[in-house]
Amino acid sequence: MSAPTISPKAVQRETAAGRIIRIVATQRTLLLAALLVIAVVTMFVLDGAGKLNGSYDTDYMAASLINAVPLVLLGVAELFVILSGRGGIDLSVGAIVSLTGMIFGMAYGLWEWPLWVSIVAAIAFGALCGAINGFLVAYLGFPALIATLATFYAFKSLALVVNSQKPISTAPIQDFYSSAQAVEIPLIGHNLPNVPLGVFTYLIPVVLVAWFLLNRTTFGRRQFAIGTNDIAARWAGIDVKRSRMGAYVIAGVISGLVAVVTVAQFASARPDAGVSGNGMALPAITIAVLGGVAITGGIGRISGIVVATLLIVWLNAGLLLIFTGNLGSQVQLAALGTILILAALLNGLASRKYGGTK
């Protein structure tokens, strides 16, 4: 009895299908860019058909970028800690934002420190909070989930009691709102919508510095190494504990900077700025996982974080125009949870079959 034969066309079809699956699973930035285009085009079509409760246009999209600034920054913060491996995660970033925001508000709004000194103090305090997390995880061996959950509650409580649960809204803090306003893009801005200033003063600089750290420095190569295999990294002479702690310190630094951003956006230093509602940590983790960061560590790209954030922000902006009132917020949460599950499944598929995402 002869063996069954497979036609060349069938093999070709299978190869093409496998190629598509591989691209979807591994080329995360390209996939997200495609989904982003589909989402935006769909919203424009619905807008043109009069199915939305408001106008979804380029001005609306540009204005919604104010929500992208803290999301991108905290997504990058989670990228560093997850990349470091051993279950790396930081649930305390939102609480660090709240506590550091109050420190910044007191320094600039009550103690009348110069603005640049207050910003440096906020960043330094965020670094201290990150160092506490890093010490617990890297040197004391606490699981990152437990350590950062504990510090989440600690930092959140301190943010509430440091000023007797009262926000700080003095004149200097209210005037600081000007740093969050939309501005015209230099040279070509007269033909484009105004963009929130934070995109230029915070988002782009942090993204560029983070990309440089991860891709052009020894520190970045060590993060990929310890996240992939920390035992092999140790044998290669890398100080694994110090490198892993460094990732949490960087996450704290970025969280401190986000605190300054949120104070500007709210024109007030609020003790619940990073923990109200569902907090900032879960959306940041969602952005990181959606952007292709492997939860097991060792794999992640800055570009994935940026494109994933744009997808979430512009999709949420459209959902708010489709569903009115509280329903829109609930649909946003459902969409966020669904996207997180799909991203985790894609990451698992990419890790098992193709060695990770790109």
Side-chain angles (χ1 to χ4, degrees):
M1 185 175 180
S2 60
T5 59
I6 301 177
S7 67
K9 290 184 178 181
V11 174
Q12 188 175 15
R13 284 197 299 270
E14 290 176 357
T15 302
R19 186 180 300 113
I20 292 174
I21 294 174
R22 176 173 53 79
I23 291 174
V24 169
T26 60
Q27 302 294 328
R28 181 59 55 84
T29 304
L30 293 178
L31 172 63
L32 291 172
L35 292 176
L36 176 62
V37 171
I38 292 172
V40 171
V41 170
T42 300
M43 294 303 169
F44 276 124
V45 171
L46 292 175
D47 185 26
K51 302 296 183 181
L52 302 181
N53 299 309
S55 179
Y56 192 96
D57 54 17
T58 54
D59 289 325
Y60 182 66
M61 293 173 64
S64 66
L65 288 177
I66 193 170
N67 299 317
V69 176
L71 275 179
V72 169
L73 299 187
L74 290 181
V76 171
E78 293 293 347
L79 164 63
F80 275 95
V81 296
I82 297 175
L83 194 66
S84 66
R86 289 282 175 158
I89 200 167
D90 193 345
L91 298 179
S92 70
V93 290
I96 295 176
V97 169
S98 293
L99 178 55
T100 307
M102 294 301 295
I103 298 299
F104 172 78
M106 296 174 72
Y108 186 57
L110 297 181
W111 304 334
E112 298 183 352
W113 289 7
L115 177 59
W116 71 270
V117 175
S118 301
I119 293 176
V120 170
I123 293 173
F125 192 83
L128 174 62
C129 294
I132 293 173
N133 286 334
F135 182 76
L136 291 174
V137 173
Y139 286 94
L140 296 186
F142 279 77
L145 182 67
I146 302 301
T148 59
L149 182 61
T151 55
F152 165 80
Y153 288 118
F155 297 152
K156 177 182 177 181
S157 299
L158 287 173
L160 291 172
V161 303
V162 71
N163 196 47
S164 302
Q165 303 186 33
K166 298 177 182 178
I168 301 172
S169 303
T170 58
I173 295 294
Q174 293 181 9
D175 293 340
F176 190 51
Y177 176 75
S178 60
S179 66
Q181 293 181 347
V183 296
E184 183 178 289
I185 300 176
L187 301 179
I188 60 173
H190 57 282
N191 294 321
L192 298 171
N194 290 348
V195 176
L197 183 59
V199 172
F200 303 103
T201 55
Y202 300 108
L203 191 155
I204 293 177
V206 169
V207 165
L208 292 177
V209 171
W211 179 88
F212 181 81
L213 277 176
L214 287 177
N215 297 280
R216 292 293 184 270
T217 67
T218 303
F219 174 82
R221 290 191 290 272
R222 288 174 177 171
Q223 295 306 309
F224 284 106
I226 66 174
T228 302
N229 190 327
D230 58 358
I231 296 176
R234 187 177 293 109
W235 279 102
I238 296 175
D239 189 335
V240 173
K241 293 181 179 179
R242 182 179 178 181
S243 298
R244 184 164 287 139
M245 181 173 176
Y248 286 88
V249 171
I250 289 178
V253 167
I254 296 175
S255 298
L257 195 58
V258 173
V260 177
V261 173
T262 56
V263 170
Q265 290 180 353
F266 294 140
S268 173
R270 292 171 36 185
D272 64 342
V275 296
S276 61
N278 294 285
M280 290 183 169
L282 292 182
I285 294 169
T286 302
I287 291 295
V289 176
L290 178 61
V293 182
I295 202 68
T296 53
I299 299 173
R301 300 182 71 175
I302 298 292
S303 59
I305 301 293
V306 175
V307 180
T309 303
L310 292 178
L311 173 61
I312 293 294
V313 167
W314 283 338
L315 178 61
N316 283 345
L319 291 175
L320 287 177
L321 297 180
I322 297 175
F323 304 96
T324 59
N326 188 53
L327 180 59
S329 299
Q330 297 305 315
V331 172
Q332 281 184 337
L333 292 176
L336 194 63
T338 302
I339 289 173
L340 179 58
I341 292 174
L342 293 176
L345 290 174
L346 276 176
N347 282 359
L349 175 64
S351 297
R352 288 193 303 272
K353 298 190 67 174
Y354 308 107
T357 57
K358 298 180 181 180

